[in-house]
Amino acid sequence: MPSVTELNDDIIRSMAVGAVFSDYVGNISSMDFHRTEDLLVTASEDDSIRLYDTANAKLLKTTYHKKHGSDRICFTHHPSSILCSSRYNLELTNECLRYLSMYDNRCLRYFKGHKKRVVSLCMSPINDSFMSGSLDHSVRIWDLRVNACQGILRLRGRPTVAYDQQGLVFAVAMEGGAIKLFDSRSYDKGPFDTFLVGGDTAEVCDIKFSNDGRSMVLTTTNNNIYILDAYGGDKRCGFSLEPSPNLTTEATFTPDGQYVLAGSGDGTLHAWLIEKPNEVSSWNSYIGAVSCLKWAPRRVMFAAASSALTFWIPKSDEETKDGEAAVRE
């Protein structure tokens, strides 16, 4: 398999379904790759959390969480420990987030604070800090080692959060296309910069930094995708896809930051070269409109999810036909 540093248009075009997992009941609401291990974790509307070996396309473990449900999910630094937000009983228990061990199916810590559903969750790449954004119009900063919230940002609308790859800066996107950048070591002093994505008043449902820190990708609830310069906030390019009613979508950078992929409401996937910018390839997802889309940090593969999970890898024409047949079955 080619290296992630060798990506080009031909490799992107050759991506095809390599594995399918279709035993979910309901949509997959979020998923996350581990930064250093070949692992993927998913959270689904069927209250399951599932751990996969991505190198061998194998399901390793499934746990069910009927009391709280499973909604947003991300790995901590340890490959068997995850953070998961609650889908149910928020008003009764106030237990909005859980720190879970997949090794022995144990809750290591509850985090209380958000009054409404968490819609964005991310772990710092350098320490035990993590952030959550909620429909209660707040972003909370936490530490895995303590129950108490470490800081609160009050905002307008639905907030979406992301750390840069060095963990030094985090971005908070909110209604009206406003993106605020904070120094993660002194966020209490307020944002050091604010960008505005003009002309789009839709809520932001996803934001990510590229690995090289040069770009950000912003996805709105009406399925507009913007690539921004992470230093000055200038719009480098933008793409519009078919909206997905009642479904928030996700875009993803390739590890080298050259390409961005996103799913459309018509059940297709698209890849663009950012520098040009032009569409390099599009595919039938075979699983309908995709709710989750992420490129693996260490491999030439990406995962796409709706009510099924698919792993995509580079393939020859003959292998591509075999993979498509497997999905249809």
Side-chain angles (χ1 to χ4, degrees), residues 104-152:
D104 53 5
N105 192 24
R106 190 163 53 94
C107 183
L108 304 174
R109 196 178 302 279
Y110 289 103
F111 299 94
K112 298 183 178 183
H114 288 301
K115 306 294 189 224
K116 294 186 178 178
R117 183 174 155 245
V118 169
V119 291
S120 187
L121 181 64
C122 62
M123 184 79 204
S124 166
I126 60 170
N127 57 34
D128 287 330
S129 299
F130 67 97
M131 285 189 300
S132 56
S134 165
L135 294 177
D136 65 10
H137 302 173
S138 74
V139 167
R140 288 179 179 257
I141 295 98
W142 311 84
D143 189 304
L144 285 176
R145 298 164 295 184
V146 291
N147 297 74
C149 173
Q150 304 297 292
I152 306 174

Tab-separated table of all heavy atoms in Angstrom, residues 104-152:
chain	number	residue	atom	x	y	z
A	104	ASP	N	-12.057	-3.149	29.840
A	104	ASP	CA	-12.893	-3.905	30.781
A	104	ASP	C	-14.308	-3.327	30.900
A	104	ASP	O	-15.021	-3.612	31.862
A	104	ASP	CB	-12.227	-3.973	32.160
A	104	ASP	CG	-11.836	-2.605	32.697
A	104	ASP	OD1	-12.166	-1.593	32.047
A	104	ASP	OD2	-11.191	-2.543	33.754
A	105	ASN	N	-14.717	-2.519	29.910
A	105	ASN	CA	-16.079	-1.975	29.855
A	105	ASN	C	-16.457	-1.291	31.166
A	105	ASN	O	-17.499	-1.578	31.765
A	105	ASN	CB	-17.085	-3.083	29.508
A	105	ASN	CG	-18.438	-2.517	29.148
A	105	ASN	OD1	-18.545	-1.369	28.728
A	105	ASN	ND2	-19.486	-3.307	29.305
A	106	ARG	N	-15.590	-0.376	31.586
A	106	ARG	CA	-15.786	0.302	32.870
A	106	ARG	C	-15.802	1.812	32.652
A	106	ARG	O	-15.056	2.338	31.819
A	106	ARG	CB	-14.635	-0.088	33.806
A	106	ARG	CG	-14.777	0.331	35.250
A	106	ARG	CD	-13.808	-0.478	36.115
A	106	ARG	NE	-12.435	-0.412	35.626
A	106	ARG	CZ	-11.526	0.466	36.074
A	106	ARG	NH1	-11.834	1.337	37.009
A	106	ARG	NH2	-10.295	0.447	35.595
A	107	CYS	N	-16.656	2.504	33.401
A	107	CYS	CA	-16.651	3.965	33.369
A	107	CYS	C	-15.623	4.461	34.378
A	107	CYS	O	-15.734	4.214	35.578
A	107	CYS	CB	-18.032	4.532	33.700
A	107	CYS	SG	-18.072	6.341	33.571
A	108	LEU	N	-14.621	5.164	33.889
A	108	LEU	CA	-13.544	5.665	34.747
A	108	LEU	C	-13.916	6.986	35.412
A	108	LEU	O	-13.436	7.297	36.495
A	108	LEU	CB	-12.272	5.848	33.916
A	108	LEU	CG	-11.789	4.601	33.156
A	108	LEU	CD1	-10.607	4.939	32.267
A	108	LEU	CD2	-11.424	3.497	34.142
A	109	ARG	N	-14.770	7.771	34.732
A	109	ARG	CA	-15.149	9.069	35.297
A	109	ARG	C	-16.378	9.618	34.569
A	109	ARG	O	-16.526	9.428	33.357
A	109	ARG	CB	-13.992	10.065	35.155
A	109	ARG	CG	-14.128	11.309	36.029
A	109	ARG	CD	-12.911	12.243	35.860
A	109	ARG	NE	-11.647	11.599	36.191
A	109	ARG	CZ	-11.181	11.454	37.430
A	109	ARG	NH1	-11.902	11.866	38.463
A	109	ARG	NH2	-10.017	10.880	37.654
A	110	TYR	N	-17.259	10.280	35.322
A	110	TYR	CA	-18.366	11.037	34.735
A	110	TYR	C	-18.023	12.520	34.765
A	110	TYR	O	-17.378	13.000	35.700
A	110	TYR	CB	-19.662	10.822	35.529
A	110	TYR	CG	-20.283	9.459	35.387
A	110	TYR	CD1	-20.146	8.506	36.398
A	110	TYR	CD2	-21.018	9.118	34.260
A	110	TYR	CE1	-20.729	7.243	36.283
A	110	TYR	CE2	-21.603	7.860	34.132
A	110	TYR	CZ	-21.450	6.933	35.148
A	110	TYR	OH	-22.015	5.696	35.022
A	111	PHE	N	-18.470	13.231	33.735
A	111	PHE	CA	-18.293	14.684	33.701
A	111	PHE	C	-19.673	15.330	33.594
A	111	PHE	O	-20.456	14.993	32.697
A	111	PHE	CB	-17.423	15.093	32.505
A	111	PHE	CG	-16.043	14.501	32.546
A	111	PHE	CD1	-15.772	13.318	31.877
A	111	PHE	CD2	-15.012	15.109	33.250
A	111	PHE	CE1	-14.510	12.753	31.898
A	111	PHE	CE2	-13.748	14.558	33.289
A	111	PHE	CZ	-13.490	13.377	32.611
A	112	LYS	N	-19.959	16.236	34.524
A	112	LYS	CA	-21.265	16.891	34.572
A	112	LYS	C	-21.127	18.377	34.254
A	112	LYS	O	-20.161	19.012	34.677
A	112	LYS	CB	-21.876	16.728	35.972
A	112	LYS	CG	-22.140	15.285	36.370
A	112	LYS	CD	-22.808	15.212	37.741
A	112	LYS	CE	-23.121	13.777	38.128
A	112	LYS	NZ	-23.831	13.696	39.421
A	113	GLY	N	-22.125	18.915	33.535
A	113	GLY	CA	-22.078	20.347	33.256
A	113	GLY	C	-23.040	20.787	32.175
A	113	GLY	O	-23.877	21.656	32.391
A	114	HIS	N	-22.946	20.189	31.007
A	114	HIS	CA	-23.832	20.591	29.915
A	114	HIS	C	-25.279	20.218	30.223
A	114	HIS	O	-25.559	19.119	30.703
A	114	HIS	CB	-23.411	19.921	28.601
A	114	HIS	CG	-22.144	20.455	28.021
A	114	HIS	ND1	-21.985	21.783	27.667
A	114	HIS	CD2	-20.969	19.842	27.712
A	114	HIS	CE1	-20.772	21.956	27.159
A	114	HIS	NE2	-20.137	20.803	27.184
A	115	LYS	N	-26.187	21.144	29.897
A	115	LYS	CA	-27.612	20.912	30.135
A	115	LYS	C	-28.300	20.293	28.924
A	115	LYS	O	-29.420	19.789	29.030
A	115	LYS	CB	-28.309	22.230	30.474
A	115	LYS	CG	-27.671	22.988	31.632
A	115	LYS	CD	-27.807	22.242	32.927
A	115	LYS	CE	-27.361	23.117	34.084
A	115	LYS	NZ	-26.511	22.424	35.043
A	116	LYS	N	-27.669	20.392	27.763
A	116	LYS	CA	-28.237	19.829	26.539
A	116	LYS	C	-27.180	18.987	25.829
A	116	LYS	O	-26.031	18.938	26.242
A	116	LYS	CB	-28.754	20.944	25.623
A	116	LYS	CG	-29.945	21.703	26.197
A	116	LYS	CD	-30.500	22.700	25.201
A	116	LYS	CE	-31.718	23.420	25.767
A	116	LYS	NZ	-32.243	24.433	24.812
A	117	ARG	N	-27.610	18.366	24.741
A	117	ARG	CA	-26.776	17.401	24.024
A	117	ARG	C	-25.432	17.990	23.571
A	117	ARG	O	-25.356	19.123	23.110
A	117	ARG	CB	-27.571	16.911	22.810
A	117	ARG	CG	-26.909	15.868	21.987
A	117	ARG	CD	-27.834	15.337	20.902
A	117	ARG	NE	-27.043	14.808	19.804
A	117	ARG	CZ	-27.024	15.316	18.592
A	117	ARG	NH1	-27.766	16.366	18.296
A	117	ARG	NH2	-26.269	14.780	17.667
A	118	VAL	N	-24.374	17.202	23.707
A	118	VAL	CA	-23.045	17.572	23.199
A	118	VAL	C	-23.007	17.255	21.705
A	118	VAL	O	-23.357	16.148	21.285
A	118	VAL	CB	-21.936	16.798	23.946
A	118	VAL	CG1	-20.586	16.972	23.257
A	118	VAL	CG2	-21.863	17.254	25.391
A	119	VAL	N	-22.593	18.239	20.895
A	119	VAL	CA	-22.572	18.053	19.439
A	119	VAL	C	-21.159	18.099	18.869
A	119	VAL	O	-20.959	17.869	17.675
A	119	VAL	CB	-23.456	19.111	18.737
A	119	VAL	CG1	-24.928	18.855	19.032
A	119	VAL	CG2	-23.064	20.524	19.131
A	120	SER	N	-20.167	18.396	19.721
A	120	SER	CA	-18.780	18.431	19.256
A	120	SER	C	-17.875	18.036	20.415
A	120	SER	O	-18.060	18.492	21.544
A	120	SER	CB	-18.430	19.838	18.751
A	120	SER	OG	-17.159	19.865	18.148
A	121	LEU	N	-16.894	17.189	20.124
A	121	LEU	CA	-16.029	16.646	21.174
A	121	LEU	C	-14.648	16.390	20.589
A	121	LEU	O	-14.522	15.785	19.523
A	121	LEU	CB	-16.626	15.334	21.698
A	121	LEU	CG	-15.917	14.597	22.824
A	121	LEU	CD1	-15.913	15.425	24.101
A	121	LEU	CD2	-16.587	13.236	23.071
A	122	CYS	N	-13.598	16.875	21.263
A	122	CYS	CA	-12.245	16.628	20.756
A	122	CYS	C	-11.234	16.610	21.893
A	122	CYS	O	-11.384	17.303	22.900
A	122	CYS	CB	-11.845	17.639	19.695
A	122	CYS	SG	-11.778	19.331	20.253
A	123	MET	N	-10.205	15.792	21.699
A	123	MET	CA	-9.146	15.574	22.676
A	123	MET	C	-7.912	16.363	22.276
A	123	MET	O	-7.547	16.411	21.094
A	123	MET	CB	-8.821	14.081	22.715
A	123	MET	CG	-7.808	13.669	23.762
A	123	MET	SD	-8.569	13.554	25.388
A	123	MET	CE	-7.124	13.780	26.438
A	124	SER	N	-7.248	16.981	23.232
A	124	SER	CA	-5.986	17.663	22.941
A	124	SER	C	-4.955	16.629	22.479
A	124	SER	O	-4.845	15.551	23.071
A	124	SER	CB	-5.461	18.380	24.182
A	124	SER	OG	-4.109	18.769	23.989
A	125	PRO	N	-4.177	16.953	21.448
A	125	PRO	CA	-3.157	16.000	20.996
A	125	PRO	C	-1.926	15.945	21.885
A	125	PRO	O	-1.085	15.071	21.702
A	125	PRO	CB	-2.790	16.523	19.595
A	125	PRO	CG	-3.115	17.969	19.630
A	125	PRO	CD	-4.286	18.126	20.549
A	126	ILE	N	-1.808	16.840	22.878
A	126	ILE	CA	-0.560	16.910	23.657
A	126	ILE	C	-0.712	16.654	25.153
A	126	ILE	O	0.282	16.399	25.827
A	126	ILE	CB	0.153	18.267	23.445
A	126	ILE	CG1	-0.750	19.425	23.880
A	126	ILE	CG2	0.601	18.415	22.008
A	126	ILE	CD1	-0.035	20.763	23.938
A	127	ASN	N	-1.934	16.744	25.683
A	127	ASN	CA	-2.086	16.534	27.130
A	127	ASN	C	-3.459	15.954	27.430
A	127	ASN	O	-4.157	15.482	26.530
A	127	ASN	CB	-1.815	17.836	27.906
A	127	ASN	CG	-2.733	18.969	27.456
A	127	ASN	OD1	-3.895	18.758	27.092
A	127	ASN	ND2	-2.215	20.189	27.479
A	128	ASP	N	-3.881	15.998	28.684
A	128	ASP	CA	-5.139	15.367	29.103
A	128	ASP	C	-6.347	16.297	29.011
A	128	ASP	O	-7.412	15.980	29.546
A	128	ASP	CB	-5.008	14.843	30.536
A	128	ASP	CG	-4.147	13.597	30.627
A	128	ASP	OD1	-4.133	12.832	29.639
A	128	ASP	OD2	-3.486	13.394	31.656
A	129	SER	N	-6.191	17.429	28.356
A	129	SER	CA	-7.316	18.344	28.177
A	129	SER	C	-8.211	17.871	27.032
A	129	SER	O	-7.738	17.265	26.065
A	129	SER	CB	-6.816	19.757	27.861
A	129	SER	OG	-6.034	20.267	28.903
A	130	PHE	N	-9.496	18.164	27.151
A	130	PHE	CA	-10.407	17.947	26.031
A	130	PHE	C	-11.510	18.987	26.081
A	130	PHE	O	-11.687	19.686	27.091
A	130	PHE	CB	-10.964	16.520	26.023
A	130	PHE	CG	-11.879	16.162	27.175
A	130	PHE	CD1	-13.256	16.229	27.055
A	130	PHE	CD2	-11.345	15.717	28.390
A	130	PHE	CE1	-14.089	15.868	28.102
A	130	PHE	CE2	-12.172	15.355	29.442
A	130	PHE	CZ	-13.548	15.440	29.303
A	131	MET	N	-12.228	19.134	24.962
A	131	MET	CA	-13.270	20.155	24.835
A	131	MET	C	-14.572	19.529	24.360
A	131	MET	O	-14.564	18.551	23.614
A	131	MET	CB	-12.856	21.205	23.796
A	131	MET	CG	-11.802	22.172	24.236
A	131	MET	SD	-11.633	23.490	22.985
A	131	MET	CE	-11.183	22.566	21.532
A	132	SER	N	-15.661	20.146	24.785
A	132	SER	CA	-16.985	19.735	24.320
A	132	SER	C	-17.804	20.972	23.989
A	132	SER	O	-17.758	21.969	24.707
A	132	SER	CB	-17.693	18.888	25.378
A	132	SER	OG	-17.780	19.595	26.609
A	133	GLY	N	-18.561	20.900	22.899
A	133	GLY	CA	-19.488	21.963	22.525
A	133	GLY	C	-20.904	21.420	22.569
A	133	GLY	O	-21.164	20.301	22.106
A	134	SER	N	-21.829	22.196	23.120
A	134	SER	CA	-23.176	21.680	23.383
A	134	SER	C	-24.253	22.608	22.811
A	134	SER	O	-24.021	23.802	22.571
A	134	SER	CB	-23.376	21.533	24.901
A	134	SER	OG	-24.732	21.362	25.231
A	135	LEU	N	-25.448	22.035	22.630
A	135	LEU	CA	-26.602	22.826	22.210
A	135	LEU	C	-27.082	23.769	23.306
A	135	LEU	O	-28.007	24.551	23.086
A	135	LEU	CB	-27.746	21.893	21.784
A	135	LEU	CG	-27.483	21.050	20.525
A	135	LEU	CD1	-28.665	20.120	20.252
A	135	LEU	CD2	-27.202	21.935	19.316
A	136	ASP	N	-26.461	23.710	24.503
A	136	ASP	CA	-26.764	24.714	25.537
A	136	ASP	C	-25.960	25.999	25.305
A	136	ASP	O	-25.909	26.870	26.173
A	136	ASP	CB	-26.522	24.146	26.947
A	136	ASP	CG	-25.045	23.813	27.210
A	136	ASP	OD1	-24.180	24.186	26.401
A	136	ASP	OD2	-24.760	23.178	28.245
A	137	HIS	N	-25.325	26.106	24.121
A	137	HIS	CA	-24.592	27.304	23.694
A	137	HIS	C	-23.328	27.550	24.519
A	137	HIS	O	-22.963	28.694	24.773
A	137	HIS	CB	-25.487	28.558	23.722
A	137	HIS	CG	-26.709	28.453	22.872
A	137	HIS	ND1	-27.720	29.396	22.863
A	137	HIS	CD2	-27.101	27.496	22.002
A	137	HIS	CE1	-28.669	29.019	22.024
A	137	HIS	NE2	-28.313	27.872	21.495
A	138	SER	N	-22.696	26.470	24.921
A	138	SER	CA	-21.448	26.629	25.666
A	138	SER	C	-20.400	25.637	25.167
A	138	SER	O	-20.730	24.572	24.631
A	138	SER	CB	-21.670	26.428	27.169
A	138	SER	OG	-21.863	25.060	27.478
A	139	VAL	N	-19.143	26.043	25.333
A	139	VAL	CA	-18.008	25.139	25.157
A	139	VAL	C	-17.363	24.972	26.521
A	139	VAL	O	-17.136	25.955	27.234
A	139	VAL	CB	-16.981	25.716	24.148
A	139	VAL	CG1	-15.667	24.948	24.197
A	139	VAL	CG2	-17.557	25.692	22.742
A	140	ARG	N	-17.087	23.732	26.882
A	140	ARG	CA	-16.442	23.472	28.169
A	140	ARG	C	-15.087	22.815	27.943
A	140	ARG	O	-14.939	21.955	27.065
A	140	ARG	CB	-17.325	22.581	29.058
A	140	ARG	CG	-18.555	23.327	29.593
A	140	ARG	CD	-19.455	22.443	30.448
A	140	ARG	NE	-20.589	23.211	30.956
A	140	ARG	CZ	-20.710	23.668	32.203
A	140	ARG	NH1	-19.755	23.413	33.099
A	140	ARG	NH2	-21.760	24.361	32.572
A	141	ILE	N	-14.118	23.247	28.739
A	141	ILE	CA	-12.776	22.674	28.711
A	141	ILE	C	-12.626	21.801	29.955
A	141	ILE	O	-12.976	22.221	31.061
A	141	ILE	CB	-11.696	23.771	28.667
A	141	ILE	CG1	-11.784	24.557	27.351
A	141	ILE	CG2	-10.300	23.168	28.774
A	141	ILE	CD1	-12.531	25.841	27.439
A	142	TRP	N	-12.117	20.583	29.754
A	142	TRP	CA	-12.037	19.595	30.818
A	142	TRP	C	-10.629	19.024	30.917
A	142	TRP	O	-9.807	19.208	30.017
A	142	TRP	CB	-12.995	18.428	30.552
A	142	TRP	CG	-14.397	18.778	30.186
A	142	TRP	CD1	-14.867	19.103	28.936
A	142	TRP	CD2	-15.541	18.819	31.041
A	142	TRP	NE1	-16.213	19.338	28.971
A	142	TRP	CE2	-16.656	19.173	30.247
A	142	TRP	CE3	-15.739	18.571	32.413
A	142	TRP	CZ2	-17.942	19.280	30.775
A	142	TRP	CZ3	-17.016	18.684	32.934
A	142	TRP	CH2	-18.107	19.044	32.118
A	143	ASP	N	-10.402	18.270	31.987
A	143	ASP	CA	-9.175	17.507	32.165
A	143	ASP	C	-9.575	16.087	32.556
A	143	ASP	O	-10.409	15.903	33.457
A	143	ASP	CB	-8.298	18.137	33.252
A	143	ASP	CG	-6.910	17.521	33.349
A	143	ASP	OD1	-6.823	16.285	33.526
A	143	ASP	OD2	-5.920	18.259	33.271
A	144	LEU	N	-9.022	15.100	31.877
A	144	LEU	CA	-9.375	13.701	32.160
A	144	LEU	C	-9.200	13.316	33.622
A	144	LEU	O	-9.874	12.422	34.129
A	144	LEU	CB	-8.501	12.759	31.315
A	144	LEU	CG	-8.807	12.618	29.834
A	144	LEU	CD1	-7.762	11.720	29.182
A	144	LEU	CD2	-10.197	12.049	29.607
A	145	ARG	N	-8.277	13.992	34.314
A	145	ARG	CA	-7.888	13.570	35.664
A	145	ARG	C	-8.809	14.099	36.750
A	145	ARG	O	-8.721	13.664	37.902
A	145	ARG	CB	-6.453	14.017	35.942
A	145	ARG	CG	-5.433	13.382	35.002
A	145	ARG	CD	-4.112	14.108	35.021
A	145	ARG	NE	-4.232	15.475	34.495
A	145	ARG	CZ	-3.212	16.302	34.330
A	145	ARG	NH1	-1.992	15.914	34.650
A	145	ARG	NH2	-3.410	17.517	33.847
A	146	VAL	N	-9.695	15.057	36.402
A	146	VAL	CA	-10.570	15.645	37.430
A	146	VAL	C	-11.997	15.765	36.899
A	146	VAL	O	-12.215	15.978	35.704
A	146	VAL	CB	-10.069	17.040	37.891
A	146	VAL	CG1	-8.780	16.916	38.679
A	146	VAL	CG2	-9.881	17.972	36.719
A	147	ASN	N	-12.962	15.645	37.808
A	147	ASN	CA	-14.365	15.720	37.396
A	147	ASN	C	-14.791	17.125	37.005
A	147	ASN	O	-15.632	17.301	36.116
A	147	ASN	CB	-15.271	15.244	38.542
A	147	ASN	CG	-15.045	13.798	38.898
A	147	ASN	OD1	-14.049	13.460	39.515
A	147	ASN	ND2	-15.974	12.940	38.506
A	148	ALA	N	-14.251	18.102	37.689
A	148	ALA	CA	-14.742	19.478	37.522
A	148	ALA	C	-14.328	20.066	36.178
A	148	ALA	O	-13.211	19.845	35.699
A	148	ALA	CB	-14.224	20.344	38.660
A	149	CYS	N	-15.248	20.832	35.612
A	149	CYS	CA	-14.960	21.572	34.379
A	149	CYS	C	-13.867	22.613	34.654
A	149	CYS	O	-13.878	23.286	35.684
A	149	CYS	CB	-16.243	22.244	33.913
A	149	CYS	SG	-16.053	23.344	32.536
A	150	GLN	N	-12.925	22.757	33.723
A	150	GLN	CA	-11.799	23.675	33.915
A	150	GLN	C	-12.052	25.068	33.363
A	150	GLN	O	-11.371	26.026	33.727
A	150	GLN	CB	-10.548	23.092	33.244
A	150	GLN	CG	-10.175	21.695	33.729
A	150	GLN	CD	-9.823	21.680	35.201
A	150	GLN	OE1	-8.808	22.231	35.617
A	150	GLN	NE2	-10.671	21.046	36.003
A	151	GLY	N	-13.007	25.189	32.456
A	151	GLY	CA	-13.304	26.494	31.876
A	151	GLY	C	-14.555	26.429	31.021
A	151	GLY	O	-14.904	25.367	30.483
A	152	ILE	N	-15.261	27.560	30.887
A	152	ILE	CA	-16.502	27.627	30.110
A	152	ILE	C	-16.455	28.840	29.188
A	152	ILE	O	-16.065	29.943	29.604
A	152	ILE	CB	-17.748	27.741	31.010
A	152	ILE	CG1	-17.782	26.625	32.052
A	152	ILE	CG2	-19.024	27.709	30.170
A	152	ILE	CD1	-18.916	26.764	33.059
